[in-house]
Amino acid sequence: MPFKFNQYKLTPDATQDLDKLASEVQANKRFFIAVEGFTDRTGPKEYNETLSRRRADAVVEYLVAMHDIPIYRIHMVGLGQAKPIDDARTRAARAR
């Protein structure tokens, strides 16, 4: 789910997607959720690593607080600008 530039607050669309995910996984007895936070290459590496962790934290907090997903079922990592989806040469590519 994309975040706005330099933001880590969940959008209404993002919370809707997470609501759907939570309802799907809670129907199973055994599940595991991996949450990876990313950024584009804009800005310093250290800042992007922190921002990516905050983005991943926002997702985890929402799932735990709003859907009672047990924290031990979630693995979170902030990857910063590592493993980019795209070369991010345009605004649309950086948003992904």
Side-chain angles (χ1 to χ4, degrees), residues 46-84:
E46 295 81 20
Y47 178 81
N48 285 333
E49 288 171 356
T50 300
L51 179 59
S52 69
R53 281 191 297 274
R54 287 182 176 162
R55 288 175 172 177
D57 281 339
V59 171
V60 172
E61 275 185 38
Y62 184 83
L63 290 172
V64 171
M66 301 304 290
H67 293 286
D68 295 321
I69 302 287
I71 192 71
Y72 66 86
R73 297 247 183 228
I74 303 172
H75 177 74
M76 186 272 304
V77 63
L79 296 169
Q81 57 195 23
K83 293 175 58 177

Side-chain angles (χ1 to χ4, degrees), residues 2-72:
F3 287 85
K4 292 183 180 181
F5 179 76
N6 201 27
Q7 298 290 315
Y8 56 92
K9 182 179 177 190
L10 295 172
T11 64
D13 287 342
T15 57
Q16 186 176 12
D17 289 345
L18 290 172
D19 293 341
K20 182 180 176 189
L21 170 73
S23 67
E24 290 172 1
V25 299
Q26 286 178 328
N28 299 313
K29 295 271 187 222
R30 296 162 42 164
F31 66 90
F32 179 78
I33 300 171
V35 178
E36 297 178 336
F38 296 95
T39 64
D40 63 17
R41 296 175 192 261
T42 306
K45 180 180 177 183
E46 295 81 20
Y47 178 81
N48 285 333
E49 288 171 356
T50 300
L51 179 59
S52 69
R53 281 191 297 274
R54 287 182 176 162
R55 288 175 172 177
D57 281 339
V59 171
V60 172
E61 275 185 38
Y62 184 83
L63 290 172
V64 171
M66 301 304 290
H67 293 286
D68 295 321
I69 302 287
I71 192 71
Y72 66 86

